[in-house]
Amino acid sequence: MNGFLISLEGGEGAGKTTVLNALRDCLDQHGFEVVTTREPGGTAAGEMIRQVLLNPELKLFSETELLLMFAARAQLVRELIQPSMARGAAVISDRFTDASFAYQGGGRGLEMGRIAELERWAAVIKPNLTFLLDVSVQQGLERARSRGGEPDRIEREREDFFERVRTTYLSRAKNEPDRFIVIDASQSPEEVVLKVKEKLDVWLQKWIEK
Ligand code: T5A
């Protein structure tokens, strides 16, 4: 495969949407075909699964939640990500498997080994590069709430859940420093985007030279 996969991760309201748009423009200017997607979702089946996952009226068991995340991901990888990468595209995904480790592993307390098994079997691929937008739980939740609207099923969790999510993300980033770039997302959107672009340029240079 000549293309690559970049994932964006972070807690609620970390600012992934803003960064995704900036990354798309940047890669486009470098001459790549850019494909953007999101998780859970990104395919017709995946978007239907997303509706179940985020519906606040449903009481889902943690195992159900995890398996649905991977069901949507299995579809997305095979339907969109792998074919795009095979023709050389740069794929950017708003969240990928690290989110399952952080939310279902860290947040819900499901066994990490099981998630790793699903990663190998259902997700198959790992991102080539992951930007982790790190912001305090409180700041992130304030931003997410400032958008208005009803909180979804996962946004209704308590702060300690999101603290565990953040800790898990940071620990994964520490364990895989070659894949993760941690960005201080407490700064203004302009500063965050500037930092991400700088890091992307350096990474792209290395990728092209490989
Ligand atoms: N999930 C997902 C799992 O539990 N397991 C999994 O395996 C996967 C894949 C997805 C939910 O599913 C969970 C995680 C999520 O809870 P979603 O609606 O896609 O649901 O939720 P998020 O991915 O969290 O998306 P959000 O929209 O909440 O967060 P973003 O995209 O990070 O935030 P964004 O860019 O919309 O910004 C939020 C607000 O803050 C402002 C923006 O203008 C916006 O109003 N903002 C800033 N303000 C100040 N300074 C900055 N730097 C700012 N950046 C953005």
Side-chain angles (χ1 to χ4, degrees), residues 131-148:
F131 283 104
L132 172 58
L133 305 184
D134 181 53
V135 67
S136 74
V137 169
Q138 226 167 1
Q139 200 177 347
L141 287 176
E142 271 166 28
R143 284 182 193 168
R145 283 169 191 150
S146 72
R147 280 178 313 198

Side-chain angles (χ1 to χ4, degrees), residues 98 101-102 106 112 132 134 163-177 179-180 182:
D98 292 297
F101 283 101
M112 296 291 184
L132 172 58
D134 181 53
E163 290 292 356
R164 292 195 297 279
V165 168
R166 185 183 185 201
T167 305
T168 309
Y169 268 134
L170 288 170
S171 130
R172 290 183 65 74
K174 202 171 164 204
N175 290 338
E176 287 188 70
R179 174 165 70 88
F180 274 93
V182 183

Side-chain angles (χ1 to χ4, degrees), residues 27-185:
L27 288 164
D28 188 53
Q29 281 162 17
H30 276 89
F32 287 96
E33 178 203 352
V34 186
V35 174
T36 61
T37 188
R38 70 168 178 182
E39 281 215 332
T43 63
E47 290 295 325
M48 291 172 95
I49 296 171
R50 179 186 174 92
Q51 283 181 22
V52 173
L53 276 163
L54 300 185
N55 186 338
E57 286 171 16
L58 296 176
K59 164 88 185 82
L60 298 182
F61 291 98
S62 304
E63 290 81 0
T64 312
E65 185 179 89
L66 175 70
L67 290 169
L68 285 174
M69 291 291 176
F70 271 97
R73 183 167 300 131
Q75 185 72 23
L76 180 66
V77 166
R78 288 156 184 81
E79 188 176 320
L80 182 76
I81 299 182
Q82 284 182 322
S84 303
M85 287 171 71
R87 55 170 200 270
V91 183
I92 313 171
S93 186
D94 185 339
R95 298 193 185 279
F96 200 63
T97 309
D98 292 297
S100 295
F101 283 101
Y103 281 77
Q104 282 67 53
R108 303 270 186 236
L110 290 178
E111 202 194 314
M112 296 291 184
R114 287 245 182 261
I115 305 175
E117 235 173 87
L118 284 168
E119 179 180 39
R120 282 190 295 274
W121 178 68
V124 188
I125 55 170
K126 267 191 172 202
N128 302 93
L129 171 65
T130 298
F131 283 104
L132 172 58
L133 305 184
D134 181 53
V135 67
S136 74
V137 169
Q138 226 167 1
Q139 200 177 347
L141 287 176
E142 271 166 28
R143 284 182 193 168
R145 283 169 191 150
S146 72
R147 280 178 313 198
E150 280 296 298
D152 65 40
R153 196 180 57 82
I154 296 177
E155 281 166 353
R156 288 167 193 235
E157 283 301 328
R158 289 173 9 186
E159 283 198 22
D160 60 324
F161 172 90
F162 296 112
E163 290 292 356
R164 292 195 297 279
V165 168
R166 185 183 185 201
T167 305
T168 309
Y169 268 134
L170 288 170
S171 130
R172 290 183 65 74
K174 202 171 164 204
N175 290 338
E176 287 188 70
D178 291 343
R179 174 165 70 88
F180 274 93
I181 295 176
V182 183
I183 302 286
D184 174 3

